[in-house]
Amino acid sequence: MAMGLSTAKPYRRRLFLLLLRCTRTAEPSPKCPHHRPLSCSSPAAAAEPTHLRRIFRPGDPNRFAPGILDAFWGVRRFSTSVDPISGGDKNLERIFIQNMSVKPIVVDGVDAVPIEDERKEVVNTVVADAEEGKEELCGGKVGDLDQLEVGLEVRQEKEQSEVEKEAWRLLDRAVVSYCGRPIGTVAANDVTAANQAVNYDQVFIRDFVPSALAFLLKGESEIVRNFLLHTLQLQSWEKTVDCYSPGQGLMPASFKVRTVPLDGSNEAFEEVLDPDFGESAIGRVAPVDSGLWWIILLRAYGKITGDYALQERVDVQTGIRLILNLCLSDGFDMFPSLLVTDGSCMIDRRMGIHGHPLEIQALFYSALRCSREIITFNDGSKNLVRAINNRLSALSFHIREYYWVDMKKVNEIYRYKTEEYSHDAINKFNIYPEQIPSWLVEWMPDKGGYFIGNLQPAHMDFRFFSLGNFWAIVSSLATPRQADGILNLIEDKWDDIVGRMPLKICYPSLEYEEWRIITGSDPKNTPWSYHNGGSWPTLLWQFTLACIKMGRPELAQRAVAVAEKRLPIDKWPEYYDTRSGRFIGKQSRLYQTWTIAGFLTAKMLLENPAAAAVLTCDEDLELLQGCACSLSKNARIKCSRLAAKSQVVV
Ligand code: GLC
């Protein structure tokens, strides 16, 4: 629960003085010399370039918005042109941070600059190529351009259902303003829970993503732009848990807009942003996923609005680099996956997901893919881009190879030999076959498979986690066959994963002794409740994205139809309980914003499947080649694209 001003500890008081202030002054705060307060009158906090509003207007003479075009064309100006991946430079991140040690500075006024000539030229060329039908586009063929445009026109004309209208009303009601401008949405607007000690009145980074997409797909970009810029400023904030400060690039889990007396007097008030980096959160866990979501949203914002000027700003580029620096810095790890504590993502309580949980790995992979597209490529960033490519290729190999399970793989594990001490061990992580849970033996379908929840030495967590599997599909961390396999499994296990309310956060739940030991007897995470096998409707939009990408929108449609019947009647709960998702969750908030926004985003994506392409990433064979080539040095296999494919693609 967030603390009130009067009860703040000394260090918190100091922080309050330094909070992001909404004042008339543009002078740097003397107590925080590196930081320039964002003033209400600052164009950085406010101005929305007028060209953004044009994007989805049918019949616009500027027919193809640059953002949409880039999305379809696959503009990766900074990614595919980098040097081929070759042996990693272990000092890359250090070199990089030396260049990056400045705090973000908001560069005012850059936004108002119209699309630069170079980009206009790119856009014109693509339009010409596309119209001639020459160019094959990222995430779709040329024809998709028209499809997208037509789709958007259709959506605008289509009468919204009563449920959608209600959802939009509720989403609008959840909007939080700062200095008179929209900046995010509260986690929940549940009046019945108002007196409970919780932080659902805050704007959560992860929760805001579906709201942002709903607004963007509707053509409203200002709130997203403000959110991206303000959270960026919070990123470099002073943060401390007792006497220790986490890395500078950490993004908060959430923030709150507070009204406080101006300079101690009760006559004037100002608004301040009060972030929570985990120092107030239950369990004091750092939200590792926040920065990853921020990057994913930043790329989506550019692609949907065409406002690339935002991502090119110096402070925004610095923000991306600070996040990546945290993720890519050297440590003791033997794996390319990110090592995190329990509860560092959507599941923000103890659930036995410390180590290398799939959710974080899939979001990490997605954020790296997005970063590669949006980092300005120059001498200062080329080492970073190389580090990203190296990591992407190692990470995709690692996850595809070691996290994937299907009937064949489970049978292999069942016959594993253990204690293999050698370079060419089959059972590299020394998994004891006895670990295969009894439920899995029956549950695994003949067709299909999934990525397991976690991999550690001598430990495979065989639980199915939805978010990680969906993002593995969306980002192309999964091979096309694996992606299909995941959807096959969901179809086959519909009653377990979708049931009476989509979608299970994980399957199955922890029970009895496992629950006691792994959750620490958490009364909120009892079997088939909350994070422990509860059903979370917000996962709908991510499932929808994955289904559309794989050409199986009918699966998502089925799931949305199930949700649509219940959500308005049940007052848009945060989560559902029981094995089939039959009850509204024991402690579930009502009017949970990401439930509402997730539903709307899923609906909009289904109406405009082509729009989903701008949010996904395609398979990149060059990345596979990178890993296959370094592996082939040992195996003396000729390094080629074919070798890459045959080695890595399942
Ligand atoms: C709960 C969820 C977390 C979410 C937050 C706000 O703590 O576990 O994922 O961000 O509520 O909705």
Side-chain angles (χ1 to χ4, degrees):
M1 179 203 168
M3 269 181 286
L5 274 176
S6 54
T7 57
K9 286 184 188 166
Y11 78 83
R12 292 287 292 164
R13 278 184 187 284
R14 192 159 48 88
L15 271 184
F16 281 126
L17 290 173
L18 301 176
L19 285 174
L20 199 58
R21 303 167 107 191
C22 167
T23 63
R24 296 286 151 203
T25 174
E27 291 301 309
S29 158
K31 298 219 163 149
C32 186
H34 52 261
H35 192 268
R36 203 161 151 220
L38 198 62
S39 121
C40 281
S41 52
S42 159
E48 183 193 356
T50 47
H51 71 269
L52 294 189
R53 297 206 172 277
R54 286 208 309 263
I55 286 170
F56 294 143
R57 300 286 174 270
D60 190 324
N62 219 356
R63 215 157 65 94
F64 299 121
I68 300 294
L69 273 177
D70 282 4
F72 279 84
W73 191 43
V75 174
R76 289 184 304 204
R77 292 184 296 165
F78 315 123
S79 56
T80 48
S81 60
V82 292
D83 303 338
I85 304 154
S86 56
D89 177 349
K90 278 281 168 193
N91 291 320
L92 286 178
E93 292 84 21
R94 270 195 297 280
I95 294 165
F96 157 67
I97 193 61
Q98 276 164 15
N99 295 338
M100 288 297 316
S101 56
V102 285
K103 299 249 181 176
I105 298 162
V106 174
V107 185
D108 293 350
V110 175
D111 334 293
V113 178
I115 310 160
E116 71 275 49
D117 289 347
E118 179 205 324
R119 185 175 293 282
K120 271 190 199 146
E121 203 175 293
V122 169
V123 170
N124 289 340
T125 317
V126 179
V127 171
D129 284 352
E131 282 174 349
E132 278 171 35
K134 278 194 248 160
E135 191 70 62
E136 191 163 318
L137 307 168
C138 169
K141 302 269 183 231
V142 175
D144 290 346
L145 284 175
D146 287 328
Q147 197 191 328
L148 177 62
E149 203 187 36
V150 170
L152 291 166
E153 278 184 47
V154 168
R155 181 178 60 75
Q156 288 189 345
E157 280 160 21
K158 184 190 155 267
E159 185 61 27
Q160 281 176 350
S161 68
E162 284 310 310
V163 180
E164 285 167 85
K165 280 187 197 154
E166 186 196 22
W168 274 114
R169 264 197 311 276
L170 293 169
L171 186 58
D172 286 337
R173 209 181 71 185
V175 169
V176 173
S177 290
Y178 171 63
C179 302
R181 296 182 185 284
I183 191 184
T185 46
V186 281
N189 243 331
D190 185 358
V191 280
T192 58
N195 55 357
Q196 290 181 29
V198 284
N199 48 5
Y200 283 83
D201 59 349
Q202 305 209 2
V203 180
F204 278 74
I205 308 299
R206 71 175 76 84
D207 292 40
F208 181 65
V209 176
S211 300
L213 294 175
F215 285 124
L216 286 175
L217 291 172
K218 197 182 173 206
E220 287 176 23
S221 56
E222 189 200 349
I223 186 171
V224 184
R225 179 188 160 76
N226 291 341
F227 170 87
L228 287 167
L229 287 175
H230 283 289
T231 44
L232 177 68
Q233 288 229 320
L234 297 174
Q235 177 194 37
S236 58
W237 215 251
E238 185 185 339
K239 39 202 175 250
T240 323
V241 176
D242 298 331
C243 304
Y244 183 73
S245 299
Q248 203 189 7
L250 186 68
M251 279 282 181
S254 61
F255 64 84
K256 187 171 170 60
V257 179
R258 294 187 191 283
T259 307
V260 296
L262 184 60
D263 298 327
S265 87
N266 266 344
E267 277 151 30
F269 293 86
E270 63 178 341
E271 284 185 342
V272 293
L273 292 185
D274 184 9
D276 178 5
F277 292 91
E279 78 271 21
S280 309
I282 296 161
R284 303 293 189 265
V285 185
V288 178
D289 64 338
S290 287
L292 307 174
W293 279 120
W294 186 85
I295 291 176
I296 293 168
L297 182 60
L298 177 65
R299 178 221 190 211
Y301 170 87
K303 287 208 163 213
I304 296 174
T305 64
D307 175 17
Y308 289 99
L310 185 85
Q311 69 195 37
E312 287 162 9
R313 285 167 49 140
V314 174
D315 55 342
V316 174
Q317 288 285 317
T318 306
I320 302 169
R321 290 167 183 218
L322 287 173
I323 296 169
L324 293 180
N325 180 60
L326 273 184
C327 299
L328 296 173
S329 60
D330 291 336
F332 288 103
D333 306 327
M334 297 293 283
F335 306 153
S337 39
L338 267 189
L339 179 63
V340 298
T341 56
D342 213 341
S344 58
C345 51
M346 175 186 182
I347 297 179
D348 53 2
R349 297 165 78 92
R350 185 172 154 192
M351 264 296 288
I353 56 163
H354 50 275
H356 303 92
L358 178 69
E359 172 168 341
I360 289 289
Q361 313 316 324
L363 291 175
F364 179 35
Y365 186 85
S366 304
L368 289 178
R369 289 290 306 258
C370 296
S371 304
R372 221 161 59 123
E373 286 179 29
I374 59 184
I375 288 174
T376 305
F377 189 68
N378 54 33
D379 276 354
S381 65
K382 69 172 190 254
N383 285 344
L384 174 66
V385 173
R386 198 178 314 135
I388 291 173
N389 280 328
N390 283 343
R391 192 62 170 259
L392 277 170
S393 104
L395 187 60
S396 70
F397 178 82
H398 185 80
I399 302 288
R400 289 172 174 198
E401 192 73 13
Y402 306 125
Y403 279 60
W404 180 252
V405 287
D406 53 14
M407 258 311 279
K408 186 165 159 266
K409 185 67 185 285
V410 175
N411 206 156
E412 263 169 41
I413 299 170
Y414 180 73
R415 291 163 51 80
Y416 265 169
K417 296 195 178 33
T418 56
E419 325 294 339
E420 290 179 284
Y421 180 84
S422 71
H423 279 295
D424 46 12
I426 309 249
N427 182 5
K428 286 200 174 86
F429 306 103
N430 200 33
I431 307 297
Y432 299 106
E434 290 71 18
Q435 268 176 45
I436 298 174
S438 49
W439 63 264
L440 184 65
V441 177
E442 297 307 322
W443 198 68
M444 182 63 88
D446 291 334
K447 261 176 66 186
Y450 66 97
F451 291 113
I452 57 168
N454 209 334
L455 176 70
Q456 310 259 59
H459 173 63
M460 286 176 103
D461 181 345
F462 286 97
R463 282 175 291 171
F464 171 88
F465 286 85
S466 293
L467 197 151
N469 274 286
F470 298 160
W471 278 88
I473 298 176
V474 169
S475 65
S476 281
L477 172 59
T479 67
R481 261 184 52 201
Q482 288 173 334
D484 251 333
I486 295 168
L487 294 185
N488 287 342
L489 175 126
I490 293 173
E491 196 173 12
D492 199 90
K493 300 291 162 191
W494 192 260
D495 291 345
D496 292 330
I497 311 278
V498 177
R500 295 174 188 232
M501 177 51 66
L503 290 135
K504 276 268 176 303
I505 196 166
C506 67
Y507 180 91
S509 69
L510 300 167
E511 296 181 291
Y512 309 109
E513 271 302 272
E514 265 193 333
W515 166 77
R516 199 179 61 73
I517 295 166
I518 297 177
T519 72
S521 305
D522 186 345
K524 203 163 175 184
N525 275 332
T526 49
W528 305 109
S529 180
Y530 203 48
H531 299 142
N532 188 13
S535 301
W536 291 66
T538 189
L539 293 167
L540 256 185
W541 73 271
Q542 309 173 59
F543 178 55
T544 303
L545 206 49
C547 291
I548 294 175
K549 177 167 187 241
M550 298 313 296
R552 296 168 76 173
E554 70 289 346
L555 275 185
Q557 248 142 10
R558 262 175 79 193
V560 169
V562 173
E564 191 161 9
K565 282 203 200 94
R566 284 187 75 185
L567 289 179
I569 298 168
D570 294 345
K571 304 198 173 103
W572 308 89
E574 177 187 19
Y575 67 96
Y576 285 77
D577 284 357
T578 78
R579 207 183 166 107
S580 64
R582 195 163 186 202
F583 291 168
I584 298 172
K586 225 181 338 185
Q587 294 187 40
S588 171
R589 297 277 156 273
L590 302 178
Y591 301 109
Q592 181 81 16
T593 306
W594 68 352
T595 299
I596 299 162
F599 165 77
L600 284 172
T601 301
K603 279 291 236 189
M604 282 192 279
L605 290 173
L606 284 169
E607 279 158 26
N608 305 279
V614 306
L615 302 169
T616 58
C617 297
D618 283 345
E619 175 79 299
D620 183 340
L621 283 181
E622 275 177 43
L623 283 177
L624 305 188
Q625 204 177 341
C627 193
C629 287
S630 45
L631 288 177
S632 68
K633 270 183 214 146
N634 301 333
R636 291 175 207 278
I637 295 169
K638 201 168 165 269
C639 175
S640 69
R641 202 169 256 241
L642 205 68
K645 246 185 143 173
S646 60
Q647 274 204 29
V648 187
V649 178
V650 174

